[in-house]
Amino acid sequence: MLNKETIRKMVVSTDHFLGKLFTFTVQFLIVVSLITFSIDTLPDLSPEFKNILNIIEVVTVGVFTLEYLLRLIIAERKLKFIFSFYGLVDLLAILPFYIASGFDLRAIRIFRFLRLVRILKLFKYNQAINRFHRALVIAKEELILFGFVAVIMLYLSAVGIYYCENAAQPEQFKSVFHSLWWSVTTLTTVGYGDIYPITAGGKLFTFFILTIGLGIVAIPTGLVASALSKARESEEKLKHH
């Protein structure tokens, strides 16, 4: 019979075969579940094929439920686990199935959509993703500051293009709020082309905004890259100690 320590090694650790097998099984079923979710949206599926999809869903939910219960068993502070980020992710990954089982899914499509929460379960099994999370924590203050600056730039560029283009294109640039869409597509250098300046002043203003936009796209990339390097260095130091 499995004791608590054996369950802990199987669920948490990947240093031995049982832990690796458990982790691989859960990861594989997450991917399978996401694929079946997409297949289920195809039109004109035969009743037989839908039945197969339902069986796969029952199996995956069964394994995810077992995983959730095992993690709950080994948790020292069970309430803390239940209300933790990954505890809520694990719960939301299985809850829609049990809630929707007795209802017409067509009437509560939101529960089917919540199955996509399972993709978040992949995060805790990936060391690189955990490193990315630590990098975001390291660069949190800089990213928040950058976010404020980006919002201010969006607003100022919307105001600028409004005054440049409103007289020439009153339908496209009706107000500063309508101009915000142009600001978003321009500052992010996407440029859909559905709304663009036609005046000389507007084109010149757009040139400067595009130049600033290149920097706005590059800055957070540099911040995160630097933080990832720091996170990797801290991991290496922990390994050597």
Side-chain angles (χ1 to χ4, degrees), residues 56-135:
I56 294 173
E57 177 69 3
V58 169
V59 172
T60 54
V61 170
V63 174
F64 294 155
T65 303
L66 177 63
E67 181 205 12
Y68 180 77
L69 293 175
L70 290 177
R71 290 187 181 277
L72 188 60
I73 289 170
I74 65 173
E76 297 295 332
R77 300 171 62 183
K78 301 192 186 307
L79 279 178
K80 184 179 179 181
F81 165 74
I82 291 172
F83 292 104
S84 67
F85 175 75
Y86 284 123
L88 291 172
V89 167
D90 288 342
L91 182 61
L92 288 174
I94 60 176
L95 198 59
F97 174 83
Y98 294 110
I99 293 177
S101 294
F103 298 90
D104 182 2
L105 288 179
R106 291 172 298 179
I108 46 174
R109 290 182 180 271
I110 185 63
F111 289 120
R112 296 180 64 184
F113 179 75
L114 282 174
R115 285 166 57 185
L116 292 178
V117 171
R118 293 173 192 173
I119 200 169
L120 297 178
K121 287 169 65 66
L122 287 172
F123 287 7
K124 62 183 173 186
Y125 294 107
N126 193 301
Q127 187 176 0
I129 292 176
N130 291 329
R131 189 182 302 126
F132 184 74
H133 174 260
R134 287 194 296 274

Side-chain angles (χ1 to χ4, degrees), residues 25-43:
T25 301
V26 173
Q27 288 179 327
F28 174 75
L29 288 177
I30 292 170
V31 175
V32 168
S33 175
L34 295 172
I35 292 173
T36 56
F37 171 83
S38 301
I39 293 174
D40 193 39
T41 63
L42 291 172

